[in-house]
Amino acid sequence: DGNDWTVRTENGGAVNYWSGEVNETWQLIPVTEVEVTVNEFASICLPFAVEVEGATAYAVESVEAGFVTLAEKADIPAGEGAILAGNGTATLTIADAATSDWTNNKLEGTTVDSYIAPAGTAYVLSKPADSEVGLYKAALNKNEAGEEGTTHFKNNANKAYLVVANANPAAQYSFRFGEGTT
């Protein structure tokens, strides 16, 4: 809008990159949409609500023996874990709030790299060699500081995951879309 903005690092603030030049100029540009590439499936968790075009957004609404049931949604609320399905570029338009009902969503997510100690078995979106895309057990190989350990897994920024708390979780969960299509 023609105004100058100043990025300050006072009181514990952070700047991701600075060249060290005194009076370095930064330019902040308003953004209303984000483009992402989706090759079949992607997990997502963003710090803002978005409307989805060019891909389909899904919530995991139930977990059964070896399957999760995906429910199609028009948009994704801020901080909500979701799965996107598509082939190519999807446009995520930033919204004030989501209008879809995400009450029963079982996915969780993080907007920054995080080390998670799940209260159950954690699953992340994956496609191992010679296997189908699905939710597979996350490797618990870190501690809370990200060092070698056995209690946490690393969930990357803006990614979703599933935690299953039952005593006999599956090795992996395939997708079921609505009435039984897998």
Side-chain angles (χ1 to χ4, degrees):
D1 63 3
N3 292 323
D4 290 334
W5 296 80
T6 302
V7 176
R8 297 187 186 275
T9 59
E10 299 169 6
N11 299 322
V15 174
N16 289 334
Y17 178 78
W18 179 51
S19 69
E21 295 292 321
V22 175
N23 295 322
E24 183 170 13
T25 300
W26 288 55
Q27 187 174 26
L28 301 177
I29 301 169
V31 175
T32 58
E33 60 187 32
V34 177
E35 287 189 350
V36 297
T37 301
V38 180
N39 294 319
E40 289 190 67
F41 295 95
S43 75
I44 192 167
C45 178
L46 298 171
F48 43 82
V50 293
E51 297 170 354
V52 180
E53 292 180 35
T56 305
Y58 292 99
V60 170
E61 291 202 341
S62 68
V63 179
E64 302 163 38
F67 290 95
V68 293
T69 301
L70 301 179
E72 187 174 334
K73 305 294 182 179
D75 50 19
I76 305 170
E80 196 74 47
I83 292 181
L84 294 177
N87 287 302
T89 302
T91 302
L92 308 178
T93 303
I94 298 171
D96 290 332
T99 59
S100 299
D101 181 9
W102 285 74
T103 305
N104 296 322
N105 187 29
K106 308 292 186 222
L107 291 170
E108 300 178 38
T110 57
T111 58
V112 296
D113 287 354
S114 300
Y115 294 96
I116 308 295
T121 305
Y123 294 82
V124 294
L125 184 69
S126 185
K127 184 182 187 309
D130 300 323
S131 296
E132 62 187 45
V133 173
L135 294 167
Y136 290 81
K137 285 184 181 179
L140 299 180
N141 57 6
K142 303 289 181 189
N143 64 23
E144 62 277 357
E147 303 160 336
E148 293 300 316
T150 58
T151 58
H152 292 65
F153 73 96
K154 182 181 180 185
N155 196 59
N156 292 327
N158 304 316
K159 296 293 182 181
Y161 62 93
L162 172 72
V163 174
V164 178
N166 70 30
N168 297 311
Q172 64 100 15
Y173 288 94
S174 297
F175 299 147
R176 181 174 284 152
F177 299 88
E179 298 297 317
T181 305
T182 58

